[in-house]
Coordinates of all heavy atoms in Angstrom, one line a residue:
L1 N -7.0 0.7 0.2 CA -5.7 0.3 0.6 C -4.8 1.4 1.2 O -4.1 1.2 2.2 CB -4.9 -0.4 -0.5 CG -5.5 -1.8 -1.0 CD1 -4.8 -2.2 -2.3 CD2 -5.3 -2.8 0.1
N2 N -4.9 2.6 0.6 CA -4.2 3.7 1.2 C -4.7 4.1 2.5 O -4.0 4.6 3.4 CB -4.3 4.9 0.2 CG -3.2 4.8 -0.9 OD1 -2.2 4.2 -0.7 ND2 -3.6 5.3 -2.1
R3 N -6.0 3.9 2.8 CA -6.6 4.2 4.1 C -6.0 3.3 5.1 O -5.7 3.7 6.2 CB -8.1 4.0 4.0 CG -8.8 4.3 5.3 CD -8.8 5.8 5.6 NE -9.5 6.0 6.9 CZ -9.1 6.7 7.9 NH1 -7.9 7.3 7.8 NH2 -9.8 6.9 9.0
V4 N -5.8 2.0 4.8 CA -5.1 1.1 5.7 C -3.7 1.5 5.9 O -3.2 1.5 7.1 CB -5.2 -0.4 5.1 CG1 -4.3 -1.3 6.0 CG2 -6.6 -0.8 5.0
V5 N -3.0 2.0 4.9 CA -1.6 2.5 5.1 C -1.6 3.7 6.1 O -0.8 3.7 7.0 CB -1.0 3.0 3.7 CG1 0.3 3.7 3.9 CG2 -0.8 1.7 2.8
E6 N -2.6 4.6 5.9 CA -2.7 5.8 6.8 C -2.9 5.3 8.3 O -2.3 5.8 9.2 CB -3.8 6.7 6.4 CG -3.5 7.4 5.1 CD -4.8 8.1 4.6 OE1 -5.7 8.3 5.3 OE2 -4.7 8.5 3.4
L7 N -3.9 4.4 8.4 CA -4.2 3.9 9.8 C -3.0 3.2 10.5 O -2.8 3.4 11.6 CB -5.4 3.0 9.7 CG -6.8 3.6 9.4 CD1 -7.8 2.6 9.1 CD2 -7.2 4.6 10.5
T8 N -2.3 2.4 9.7 CA -1.2 1.7 10.3 C 0.0 2.6 10.6 O 0.7 2.4 11.6 CB -0.8 0.5 9.4 OG1 -0.4 1.0 8.1 CG2 -1.8 -0.6 9.4
A9 N 0.1 3.6 9.8 CA 1.2 4.6 10.1 C 0.9 5.4 11.3 O 1.7 5.6 12.2 CB 1.4 5.5 8.9
R10 N -0.4 5.8 11.4 CA -0.8 6.6 12.6 C -0.7 5.8 13.9 O -0.4 6.4 14.9 CB -2.2 7.1 12.4 CG -2.7 8.1 13.4 CD -4.1 8.6 13.2 NE -5.0 7.6 13.3 CZ -6.1 7.5 12.5 NH1 -6.4 8.4 11.7 NH2 -7.0 6.5 12.7
D11 N -1.0 4.5 13.8 CA -1.0 3.7 15.0 C 0.4 3.2 15.4 O 0.6 2.5 16.4 CB -1.9 2.5 14.8 CG -3.4 2.9 14.7 OD1 -3.7 4.0 15.1 OD2 -4.2 2.0 14.3
G12 N 1.4 3.5 14.5 CA 2.7 3.1 14.8 C 3.0 1.6 14.7 O 3.9 1.1 15.3
R13 N 2.2 0.9 13.9 CA 2.4 -0.5 13.7 C 3.3 -0.7 12.5 O 2.8 -0.8 11.4 CB 1.0 -1.2 13.5 CG 0.2 -1.1 14.8 CD -1.1 -1.8 14.6 NE -2.0 -1.1 13.8 CZ -3.1 -1.6 13.2 NH1 -3.4 -2.8 13.4 NH2 -3.9 -0.9 12.4
G14 N 4.6 -0.8 12.7 CA 5.6 -0.8 11.7 C 5.4 -2.0 10.7 O 5.4 -1.8 9.5
V15 N 5.3 -3.2 11.2 CA 5.2 -4.3 10.3 C 3.8 -4.3 9.5 O 3.8 -4.5 8.3 CB 5.2 -5.7 11.1 CG1 4.9 -6.9 10.2 CG2 6.6 -5.8 11.7
A16 N 2.8 -4.0 10.2 CA 1.5 -3.9 9.5 C 1.5 -2.7 8.5 O 0.9 -2.9 7.4 CB 0.3 -3.6 10.5
H17 N 2.2 -1.7 8.8 CA 2.3 -0.5 7.9 C 3.1 -1.0 6.6 O 2.7 -0.7 5.5 CB 2.9 0.7 8.5 CG 3.1 1.8 7.7 ND1 2.1 2.6 7.2 CD2 4.3 2.4 7.1 CE1 2.6 3.5 6.4 NE2 3.9 3.4 6.4
A18 N 4.2 -1.6 6.8 CA 5.0 -2.1 5.7 C 4.2 -3.1 4.8 O 4.3 -3.0 3.6 CB 6.3 -2.7 6.2
L19 N 3.5 -4.0 5.4 CA 2.7 -4.9 4.6 C 1.6 -4.2 3.9 O 1.2 -4.6 2.8 CB 2.2 -6.1 5.5 CG 3.2 -7.0 6.0 CD1 2.6 -8.0 7.0 CD2 4.0 -7.7 4.9
A20 N 1.0 -3.2 4.5 CA 0.0 -2.4 3.8 C 0.6 -1.7 2.6 O -0.1 -1.7 1.5 CB -0.6 -1.4 4.8
L21 N 1.8 -1.2 2.7 CA 2.4 -0.6 1.5 C 2.7 -1.7 0.4 O 2.5 -1.4 -0.8 CB 3.8 0.0 1.9 CG 3.7 1.3 2.7 CD1 5.0 1.7 3.3 CD2 3.2 2.5 1.8
A22 N 3.1 -2.9 0.8 CA 3.3 -4.0 -0.1 C 2.0 -4.3 -0.8 O 1.9 -4.6 -2.0 CB 3.9 -5.2 0.6
N23 N 0.8 -4.3 -0.1 CA -0.5 -4.5 -0.7 C -0.8 -3.5 -1.7 O -1.4 -3.8 -2.8 CB -1.5 -4.7 0.4 CG -1.4 -6.0 1.2 OD1 -0.9 -7.0 0.7 ND2 -1.9 -6.0 2.4
V24 N -0.5 -2.2 -1.4 CA -0.8 -1.2 -2.4 C 0.1 -1.4 -3.6 O -0.4 -1.3 -4.8 CB -0.4 0.2 -1.8 CG1 -0.5 1.3 -2.9 CG2 -1.4 0.6 -0.7
A25 N 1.3 -1.8 -3.5 CA 2.2 -2.1 -4.6 C 1.7 -3.3 -5.4 O 1.7 -3.2 -6.6 CB 3.6 -2.4 -4.1
D26 N 1.2 -4.3 -4.7 CA 0.6 -5.4 -5.4 C -0.6 -5.0 -6.3 O -0.8 -5.4 -7.4 CB 0.1 -6.5 -4.4 CG 1.2 -7.3 -3.8 OD1 2.3 -7.2 -4.2 OD2 0.9 -8.0 -2.8
W27 N -1.5 -4.1 -5.7 CA -2.6 -3.6 -6.4 C -2.2 -2.9 -7.6 O -2.8 -3.0 -8.7 CB -3.4 -2.7 -5.4 CG -4.8 -2.3 -5.9 CD1 -5.1 -1.0 -6.4 CD2 -6.0 -3.0 -6.0 NE1 -6.4 -1.0 -6.8 CE2 -7.0 -2.2 -6.5 CE3 -6.3 -4.3 -5.6 CZ2 -8.3 -2.7 -6.7 CZ3 -7.6 -4.8 -5.8 CH2 -8.5 -4.0 -6.4
E28 N -1.2 -2.1 -7.5 CA -0.7 -1.3 -8.6 C -0.2 -2.2 -9.8 O -0.4 -2.0 -10.9 CB 0.4 -0.3 -8.2 CG -0.1 0.8 -7.3 CD 0.9 1.6 -6.6 OE1 2.0 1.0 -6.3 OE2 0.6 2.7 -6.2
L29 N 0.5 -3.3 -9.4 CA 1.0 -4.3 -10.4 C -0.2 -5.0 -11.0 O -0.2 -5.2 -12.2 CB 1.9 -5.3 -9.7 CG 3.4 -5.0 -9.7 CD1 4.2 -6.2 -9.2 CD2 3.9 -4.4 -10.9
I30 N -1.2 -5.4 -10.3 CA -2.3 -6.1 -10.8 C -3.0 -5.2 -11.9 O -3.4 -5.7 -12.9 CB -3.3 -6.4 -9.7 CG1 -2.8 -7.5 -8.8 CG2 -4.7 -6.8 -10.3 CD1 -3.6 -7.8 -7.6
F31 N -3.0 -3.9 -11.7 CA -3.6 -3.0 -12.6 C -2.5 -2.3 -13.6 O -2.8 -1.3 -14.2 CB -4.4 -1.9 -11.9 CG -5.7 -2.4 -11.5 CD1 -5.9 -2.9 -10.2 CD2 -6.8 -2.3 -12.3 CE1 -7.1 -3.4 -9.8 CE2 -8.1 -2.7 -11.9 CZ -8.2 -3.3 -10.6
D32 N -1.4 -3.0 -13.7 CA -0.4 -2.7 -14.7 C 0.2 -1.2 -14.5 O 0.3 -0.5 -15.5 CB -0.9 -2.9 -16.1 CG 0.3 -3.1 -17.1 OD1 1.4 -3.6 -16.6 OD2 0.1 -2.9 -18.3
R33 N 0.5 -0.9 -13.3 CA 1.1 0.4 -13.0 C 2.5 0.1 -12.2 O 2.6 0.4 -11.0 CB 0.2 1.3 -12.1 CG -1.0 1.8 -13.0 CD -2.1 2.3 -12.1 NE -3.1 3.0 -12.9 CZ -4.0 2.5 -13.7 NH1 -4.0 1.2 -13.8 NH2 -4.9 3.2 -14.3
P34 N 3.4 -0.4 -13.0 CA 4.7 -0.9 -12.3 C 5.5 0.2 -11.7 O 6.2 0.0 -10.8 CB 5.4 -1.7 -13.4 CG 4.9 -1.1 -14.7 CD 3.4 -0.8 -14.4
Q35 N 5.5 1.4 -12.4 CA 6.4 2.5 -11.9 C 6.0 2.9 -10.4 O 6.9 3.1 -9.6 CB 6.3 3.7 -12.8 CG 7.1 3.6 -14.1 CD 6.3 2.8 -15.1 OE1 5.1 2.6 -15.0 NE2 7.0 2.4 -16.2
S36 N 4.7 3.0 -10.1 CA 4.3 3.4 -8.8 C 4.5 2.3 -7.8 O 4.7 2.5 -6.6 CB 2.9 4.0 -8.8 OG 2.0 3.1 -9.4
S37 N 4.5 1.0 -8.3 CA 4.6 -0.1 -7.4 C 6.0 -0.2 -6.9 O 6.3 -0.6 -5.7 CB 4.2 -1.4 -8.0 OG 5.0 -1.8 -9.0
V38 N 7.0 0.1 -7.7 CA 8.4 0.0 -7.3 C 8.7 0.8 -6.0 O 9.3 0.2 -5.1 CB 9.4 0.5 -8.4 CG1 10.8 0.6 -7.9 CG2 9.3 -0.5 -9.6
E39 N 8.3 2.0 -5.9 CA 8.5 2.8 -4.7 C 7.8 2.3 -3.5 O 8.4 2.2 -2.4 CB 8.1 4.3 -4.9 CG 8.5 5.2 -3.8 CD 10.0 5.2 -3.4 OE1 10.8 4.9 -4.3 OE2 10.3 5.6 -2.3

């Protein structure tokens, strides 16, 4: 998921980048890591 975040940031795709960050946050919540998901 972080690789997708990097690719979307590099390509300047703002909406896709933001959704990729949300997916990382979802992943963190699924694995019970709420502190890192908040940011």
Side-chain angles (χ1 to χ4, degrees):
L1 291 168
N2 279 330
R3 181 73 177 129
V4 173
V5 169
E6 291 170 15
L7 291 170
T8 56
R10 187 177 65 214
D11 294 345
R13 296 184 286 165
V15 172
H17 178 68
L19 292 176
L21 287 167
N23 288 334
V24 171
D26 287 348
W27 189 256
E28 292 165 337
L29 273 188
I30 289 169
F31 282 90
D32 205 24
R33 288 166 169 76
Q35 285 81 12
S36 52
S37 69
V38 169
E39 184 59 23

